[in-house]
């Protein structure tokens, strides 16, 4: 309830500030126009009024207009906030009161008893001033009330100074004129308020449409990305799943469909096992990536000896490196601390990086697994190779699901390795850095935050 009241108060202050801004913008020309008109009026009344009185009245008008001008220009110098409305409304009210009082004093200073021409001219000037200023300040109740209180009072009271039926009639006519202008000012106030409310509604509608368009564009981009991912998934998986399944079906059929030697059956069974193993690894990669992207991947953290884990992974991949004619080396710092991490996830990061490096490094090249402590305290581990490298255009794409670089290697893989590495690294609060040049090799570094580093015990081996 209190929140709604505060919101309503802020909205009212904002609307009042806009009304004040509209009024002061309308009054801005008056600051120099009215003194100019006053000078002309002094010339006209010089036939009736002494120069001293004329100069005194002109000085009053100039001072009143100058103060109002200072308020107007100070208000418009910068954008005002709704909470400033009351302070500036008071300043504007004082300025307009001074101006209206100084201008309406013409009714008492210039009035000459028995001179109809003089009196009609004064009444006409005050009536015109009241009508004009009613239109200019109609958007502000405070300034409208001030105008009628000062100018309207003078217009009604001045004829009563001479008395008689004619002047009493003029006073009654002036009262009716003031009432009519008051009604018109009320209409101007309502119109200005409705106009400002309509403008605010229009601006809010434009903002809402802009937000809706931005959300729609974002949703469209996500939908297009999802559609592309689906298409890439189907294109990749249709091949990756069919190949091992066809092998499994074909070789299993050959085993049971006819007489074969034991050696041939063992060979077929081995190929069936390899295809099934490949298929299982592929399914596991897809499931892991799905868990990572949905935020449902749960870490089972414990203190790990990263150097020991790297050694196990290197021994696991040594056979594959040897058969490919590659040198596989370790570059692990002796002061590498323990790491608080998920063992399976960290092992998968290393295996994926090594598999990529071995796959895209020609025979005779070198693949190195490294780990050290950065100056910031972060734990750095990764793989660098002397392979074919990744072009600058592909370096962002390879971290997208099923994203693959453009190369001529026969076994391009599924494009899941690096996205999984990136997802597992970010799940640990880290990130992945990639440096690569075509024909010169690639270095992928996983940065784990310093909060995951754990000191080794002194008696630890």
């Amino acid at each position: 309830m209190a929140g709604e009241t505060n919101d309503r108060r802020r909205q009212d202050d904002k609307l009042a500030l806009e009304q004040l801004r509209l009024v002061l913008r309308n009054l801005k020309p008056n600051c120099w126009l009215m003194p100019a008109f006053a000078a002309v009026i002094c010339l006209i009344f010089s036939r009736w009024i002494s120069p001293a009185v004329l100069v005194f009245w002109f000085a009053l008008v100039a001072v009143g207009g100058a103060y109002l001008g200072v308020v107007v220009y100070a208000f418009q110098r910068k954008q005002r906030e709704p909470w400033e409305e009351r302070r500036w409304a008071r300043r504007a009210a004082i300025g307009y009161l001074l101006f209206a009082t100084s201008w309406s004093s013409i009714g008492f200073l210039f009035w000459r008893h028995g001179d109809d021409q003089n009196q009609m001219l004064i009444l006409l000037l005050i009536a015109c001033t009241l009508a004009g200023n009613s239109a200019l300040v109609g958007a502000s109740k405070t300034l409208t009330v001030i105008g009628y209180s000062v100018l309207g009072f003078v217009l009604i009271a001045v004829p009563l100074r001479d008395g008689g039926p004619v002047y009493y009639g003029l006073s009654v006519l002036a009262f009716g004129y003031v009432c009519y202008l008051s009604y018109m000012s009320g209409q101007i106030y309502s119109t200005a308020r409705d106009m400002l409310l309509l403008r605010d509604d229009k601006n809010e509608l434009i903002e809402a449409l802009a937000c809706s368009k931005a959300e729609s564009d974002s949703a469209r981009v996500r939908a297009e990305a999802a559609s592309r991912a689906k298409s890439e998934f189907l294109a990749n998986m249709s091949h990756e799943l069919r190949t091992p399944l066809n092998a499994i079906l074909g070789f299993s059929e050959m085993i049971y469909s006819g007489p074969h030697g034991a050696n041939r059956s063992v060979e077929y069974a081995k190929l069936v096992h390899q295809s099934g193993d490949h298929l299982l690894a592929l399914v596991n990669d897809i499931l892991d990536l799905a868990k990572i992207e949905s935020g449902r991947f749960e870490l089972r953290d414990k203190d790990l000896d990263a150097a020991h884990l790297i050694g196990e992974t290197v021994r696991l991949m040594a056979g594959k490196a040897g058969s490919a004619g590659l040198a596989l080396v370790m570059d692990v710092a002796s002061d590498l601390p323990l790491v608080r991490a998920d063992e399976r996830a960290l092992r998968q990061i290393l295996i994926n990086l090594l598999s990529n490096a071995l796959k895209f490094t020609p025979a005779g090249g070198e693949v190195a697994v490294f780990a050290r402590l950065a100056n910031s305290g972060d734990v750095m581990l990764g793989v660098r190779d002397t392979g074919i490298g990744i072009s600058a255009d592909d370096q962002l794409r390879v971290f997208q699901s099923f994203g693959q670089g453009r190369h001529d290697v026969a076994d391009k893989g599924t494009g899941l390795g690096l996205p999984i590495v990136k997802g597992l690294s970010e799940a640990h609060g880290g990130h992945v850095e990639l440096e690569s040049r075509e024909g010169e090799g690639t270095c992928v570094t996983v940065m784990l935050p310093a909060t995951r580093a754990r000191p080794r015990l002194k008696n630890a081996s």
Side-chain angles (χ1 to χ4, degrees), residues 228-244 278-279 282 286 397 400-405 407 410-417:
R228 285 195 302 270
K230 181 194 70 174
S231 300
E232 291 175 3
F233 173 79
L234 293 175
N236 282 278
M237 291 306 101
S238 61
H239 169 74
E240 295 296 332
L241 293 175
R242 281 175 182 172
T243 301
H278 173 71
L279 188 60
L282 184 61
I286 295 172
R397 197 156 64 93
Q400 299 172 359
S401 301
F402 307 105
Q404 298 171 328
H407 41 63
D411 183 10
K412 295 184 178 183
T414 60
L416 294 176

Side-chain angles (χ1 to χ4, degrees), residues 126-375:
I126 297 176
C128 290
T129 303
L130 181 63
N133 282 271
S134 297
L136 293 177
V137 302
S140 171
K141 280 186 177 180
T142 303
L143 270 61
T144 300
V145 170
I146 291 174
Y148 285 115
S149 298
V150 177
L151 294 169
F153 169 77
V154 173
L155 185 63
I156 295 170
V158 166
L160 298 177
R161 298 179 62 188
D162 279 17
V166 174
Y167 291 98
Y168 289 149
L170 286 175
S171 183
V172 172
L173 185 63
F175 178 77
Y177 177 73
V178 170
C179 290
Y180 173 73
L181 287 183
S182 299
Y183 168 77
M184 295 300 296
S185 294
Q187 297 301 309
I188 292 173
Y189 175 82
S190 299
T191 301
R193 190 176 178 86
D194 291 343
M195 177 190 70
L196 292 173
L197 286 172
L198 182 62
R199 189 189 68 181
D200 288 343
D201 290 342
K202 181 195 71 175
N203 291 338
E204 290 177 0
L205 179 60
I206 291 174
E207 291 179 3
L209 288 174
C211 290
S212 297
K213 183 179 183 300
E215 291 176 0
S216 175
D217 291 344
S218 177
R220 177 176 55 79
V221 170
R222 290 195 300 270
E224 290 175 352
S227 178
R228 285 195 302 270
K230 181 194 70 174
S231 300
E232 291 175 3
F233 173 79
L234 293 175
N236 282 278
M237 291 306 101
S238 61
H239 169 74
E240 295 296 332
L241 293 175
R242 281 175 182 172
T243 301
L245 281 175
N246 285 335
I248 291 171
L249 293 173
F251 288 115
S252 60
E253 182 180 358
M254 293 175 69
I255 290 173
Y256 72 74
S257 62
H260 297 283
N263 292 335
R264 299 292 290 176
S265 296
V266 170
E267 181 183 349
Y268 294 154
K270 182 179 179 181
L271 292 173
V272 169
H273 181 270
Q274 289 176 348
S275 298
D277 191 50
H278 173 71
L279 188 60
L280 178 60
L282 184 61
V283 171
N284 285 335
D285 283 348
I286 295 172
L287 293 177
D288 285 342
L289 187 62
K291 286 182 181 180
I292 292 169
E293 292 184 344
S294 65
R296 292 186 292 107
F297 188 85
E298 297 181 2
L299 296 176
R300 293 183 174 88
D301 288 337
K302 64 178 182 179
D303 291 347
L304 300 175
D305 186 344
H308 178 71
L309 185 62
I310 291 172
E312 287 184 347
T313 308
V314 168
R315 285 191 293 273
L316 178 67
M317 306 296 288
K320 186 175 181 181
S323 62
L326 302 174
L328 181 56
V329 298
M330 285 178 57
D331 180 14
V332 179
S334 58
D335 61 346
L336 188 69
L338 300 178
V339 179
R340 186 73 177 173
D342 184 305
E343 182 176 3
R344 176 178 170 272
L346 201 57
R347 189 188 304 275
Q348 188 169 6
I349 288 174
L350 293 169
I351 290 175
N352 285 358
L353 292 180
L354 275 172
S355 296
N356 271 2
L358 295 174
K359 185 183 300 180
F360 299 114
T361 302
E366 179 182 276
V367 175
V369 186
F370 62 87
R372 60 182 177 272
L373 201 62
N375 294 332

Side-chain angles (χ1 to χ4, degrees), residues 42 45-56 109-110 112:
C42 287
F45 278 85
S46 61
R47 59 179 294 186
W48 296 295
I49 309 301
S50 65
V53 175
L54 291 173
V55 171
F56 176 71
L109 296 176
F110 288 7
R112 288 295 174 264

Side-chain angles (χ1 to χ4, degrees), residues 68-83:
L68 184 60
V70 169
V71 173
V72 170
Y73 281 92
F75 178 84
Q76 293 183 337
R77 190 177 300 127
K78 67 177 184 177
Q79 188 70 24
R80 300 294 170 182
E81 299 297 329
W83 57 268

